[in-house]
Structure formats: C-alpha cells, structure tokens
C-alpha cells in the first residue's frame, strides 16, 4: 500500500498531480485515493457543475420530497402545490440543521426537526417560534438550488453561477428524450449500491465496454461489443464479419430511425465544455427489444409515444450518470462520492406510469440484467481502487480503440479542476 504521506495529498500536490497527468493515461493515484482530492472533487466538480440528481417521477405529487446527498452537501427536491419541482439546500436558515433525512418523504410543509422552523413548499419561511414580533421571516427563505428537468431527468447545480452550457444539454438531448415522455413514467424499482472505489473509477468503468464480454454475461446478451470500439488489426475473421455486419445494420437501421424521427447521430459534448455529456443510439442485440435476459420487452406498455421494438437503446452519459432509455423502460443511474474510496450508485428502473406490476411487467424480468451487472461492476471498481491504492500502481495507457471516452473524461476532469483553480 502507499505510505501515509502519499495517501494524504494536499491542495498543492493536487495541482501538481493534475499538471503531470499524461495524455492517454489514467490519473495519478492520489487523485483517486486521497482525502484532499475527494474534497476538491466535491468543491470543483460536484458543487460547480450540473449533476444528475434524479427523475421527475421521484416527486410525483404535491408534498413529495426527496433528499439527495451530493458529496459533502445535501439538497431537497420538492413538488410544490402548483406541481412545480423545486430544489433547495437541505439546510435550515436558523442554525443550519439538515431539514430532512436522505431519501423520500411526504410532507405538508418542510419542518426543521431541531427548533421547528417551518417552510412552505416554495421555500418561504412560514413559522419561526420564539423569534419575536419584529422578526422578518421574508429574509429567511430556503436557499434555492438551480434545477432543470431535461426530458424527465433532473439536473441540479449547487453553484450560484451554474454553467450556462446546460442549454446545450436541453437543446440537444431534450428533443431526443421527448418521445419517451419520462415525465409520465414511474419508478418501478430502485436500488443503491455502495461501491468500494473512488467515483471517478465508477465513471470510468461505465464509459467503456472493453470489460463487458469477460465480466457481464447478462448485459452482453443485449449489447454488441463492437459498439464500444475495437482494434481493426486484432479481429479474427469471424469478428471482422460481425463488425462489418453491425456497421451495415446501423446503416440500414439509421435510415429507419430517421423516418421515425429518431436521430441516429451521436452527440459528443465532453472536452472543452463544463457540462459533460454524450449520447448514442445503439442497436439492441438478440431479439432487439430491450435489455432483459431474453432481450424481449419487459413492459407491455411502452414509454411515451414509442413503439415496442427496433428503436434501440438511447444511451446517455453525464458527469455522474449513465442511462439506458428503451421503448419499454429506462434505467437511470446516478453516482455520488461518499469519500475517497466510497461511491453510492443509485439505479432506477422506469416504466410507463400506467403499467401495472404483475400484469404489464414482471419485476424480475425488468431488473435482472442490471441487478447482476451492477454487482459485477461494483466488484470491478473495488478491484481497480485496490490497485490504484497499491505501491505498484502507475498511470496506465487507455486503449485508443475502446477507451477513448475514458481519456476524454480524464482530460475533461483535469480541465475542469484547472478551471476552478486547483492546478495553479
């Protein structure tokens, strides 16, 4: 293991490490494992960028509340009486107590458990006992958090000056999500896994499928490995035939998607932009309907205006999220750092809000692939974190064929940390 000195990088050494990061290579160890890097990430990445925090249907009805921990901070997302979705810092304006615990609740008003300061669902302070008749409650409104719903996925930014390129996400991704109408979906199932690894290792893991064939037998039933890049000189004749067939299938399917109003072109919005996202529509393998063990649709009622098959897997990656949106259901993932070596991965399976469990979908059929894949990924992230924590670790090279997105993510990370003063 690394010695105590290396485990506790300070801000100055973080700057040095960011400057030393070699293009095309993983990050220096301390940027994954040190407490200082974790706190710097919470400050520069999670407090100053648009972070995926949930979905509209987390708060379906007025009074529905969900509290989300974002690194060292916490926010509360509320559906108010006028059906607006609002977000506030989960901090009482009296003495700073957390208002509500993590997770879901239903309230009439937000009441601080400490001294019973009480807030309306629009954040206005309604009651502050024992503060005197001259106390001006209007000066103690809950501090709002910037929040955007994009196609039914919620993004929040803790900063008072959030990056304005969120408009790119709204304008480019919003129309592609619109046919799925996730605003009229429901959370059919939700899981949380605490991975024993740094959040950047979690995000690196989901940005490549280099590891899929040997680690994800369930997911591989619906994935084409060639979708995630390959070394053309390293293919066997059979693999080359498969890659050529897939390229031809995309050529033909792309024309069909276009006639259906489903844009088949990939979106790349990574290096050079504060708000990092990528989107790609993928052909589903097997029977081509959904990411299930038999590749058939999991829900009999499609999402929004979608038909039941052939529309593929609309794959959306973000700073702390990855999503698979299919005609019959969507799987929404968010990742939040809990410490240098702990990451919470929250997964939500969405179906049409009118779908009934046991009639229109079977929960095991819906969730089996990603339950298994999440467990397999958690093991891989833990192995990676153990490796970068070891004395023998040195930054390794990404594959130019299968790990381009990781190199871009690491480059983006260094770029954003630099922009926020950590490499000066």
């Amino acid at each position: 293991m690394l010695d105590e000195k290396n485990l506790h990088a300070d801000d100055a050494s973080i700057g040095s490490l960011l400057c030393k990061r070699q293009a095309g290579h993983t990050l220096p160890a301390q940027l994954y494992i040190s407490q200082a890097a974790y706190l710097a990430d919470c400050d520069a990445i999670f407090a100053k960028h648009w972070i995926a925090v949930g979905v509209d249907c987390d708060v379906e009805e007025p009074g529905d509340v969900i509290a989300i921990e974002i690194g060292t901070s916490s926010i509360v997302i509320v559906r108010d009486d006028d059906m607006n979705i609002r977000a506030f810092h989960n901090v009482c304006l009296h003495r700073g107590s957390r208002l509500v615990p993590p997770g879901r609740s239903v309230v009439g008003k937000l009441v601080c458990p400490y001294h019973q300061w009480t807030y309306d669902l629009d954040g206005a302070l309604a009651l502050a006992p024992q503060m005197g008749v001259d106390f001006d409650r209007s000066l103690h409104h809950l501090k709002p958090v910037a929040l955007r719903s994009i196609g039914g996925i919620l993004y929040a930014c803790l900063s008072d000056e959030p990056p304005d390129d969120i408009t790119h996400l709204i304008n480019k991704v919003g129309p592609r999500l619109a046919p799925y109408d996730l605003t009229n979906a429901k959370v059919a199932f939700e899981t949380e896994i605490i991975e024993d690894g740094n959040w950047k290792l979690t995000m690196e893991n989901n940005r490549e499928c280099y590891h899929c064939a040997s680690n994800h037998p369930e997911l591989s039933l619906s994935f084409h490995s060639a979708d995630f890049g390959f070394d053309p000189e390293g293919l066997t004749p059979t693999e080359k035939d498969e890659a050529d067939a897939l390229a031809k299938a995309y050529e033909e399917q792309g024309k069909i998607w276009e006639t259906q109003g489903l844009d088949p072109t990939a979106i790349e919005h990574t290096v050079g932009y504060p708000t990092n996202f990528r989107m790609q529509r993928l052909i589903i393998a097997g029977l081509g309907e959904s990411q299930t063990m038999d590749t058939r649709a999991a829900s009999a009622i499609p999402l929004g205006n979608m038909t039941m098959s052939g529309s593929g897997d609309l794959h959306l990656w973000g700073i702390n999220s990855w999503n698979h949106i299919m005609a019959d259901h969507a799987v929404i993932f968010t990742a939040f750092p809990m410490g240098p070596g702990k990451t919470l991965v929250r997964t939500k399976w969405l179906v049409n809000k009118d779908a009934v469990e046991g009639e229109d979908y079977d929960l095991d059929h819906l969730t089996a692939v990603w339950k298994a894949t999440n467990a397999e990924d958690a093991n891989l992230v833990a192995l990676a974190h153990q490796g970068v924590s070891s004395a023998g670790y040195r930054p390794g090279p990404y594959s130019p064929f299968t790990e381009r997105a990781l190199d871009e993510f690491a480059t983006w990370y260094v770029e954003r940390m630099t922009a926020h003063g950590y490499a000066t």
Side-chain angles (χ1 to χ4, degrees), residues 207-227:
R207 272 174 161 72
E208 52 92 357
C209 220
Y210 190 7
H211 67 277
C212 289
S214 56
N215 290 281
H216 295 320
E218 302 85 1
L219 184 62
S220 294
L221 295 170
S222 58
F223 264 28
H224 291 287
S225 60
D227 270 329

Side-chain angles (χ1 to χ4, degrees), residues 325-349:
I325 300 105
M326 295 154 282
D328 68 311
H329 78 282
V331 193
I332 309 295
F333 306 82
T334 48
F336 300 96
M338 302 176 68
K342 297 285 183 186
T343 301
L344 172 65
V345 175
R346 183 174 290 126
T347 307
K348 299 174 184 180
W349 286 261

Side-chain angles (χ1 to χ4, degrees), residues 217-294:
E218 302 85 1
L219 184 62
S220 294
L221 295 170
S222 58
F223 264 28
H224 291 287
S225 60
D227 270 329
F228 297 91
F230 54 84
D231 177 0
E233 302 299 322
L235 297 180
T236 65
T238 299
E239 290 170 336
K240 184 176 187 309
D241 289 344
E242 292 174 351
D244 290 344
L246 183 61
K248 183 174 176 52
Y250 270 106
E251 185 178 335
E252 296 172 352
Q253 189 63 51
K255 295 175 183 175
I256 296 172
W257 286 338
E258 285 184 334
T259 64
Q260 297 174 334
L262 304 175
D263 194 331
T265 58
I267 300 173
E268 300 280 350
H269 194 275
T270 57
V271 177
Y273 299 98
T275 303
N276 182 317
F277 65 91
R278 299 176 61 236
M279 179 170 257
Q280 184 176 10
R281 188 178 298 278
L282 303 174
I283 293 175
I284 297 174
L287 297 174
E289 294 184 356
S290 194
Q291 287 177 347
T292 57
M293 291 294 195
D294 59 6

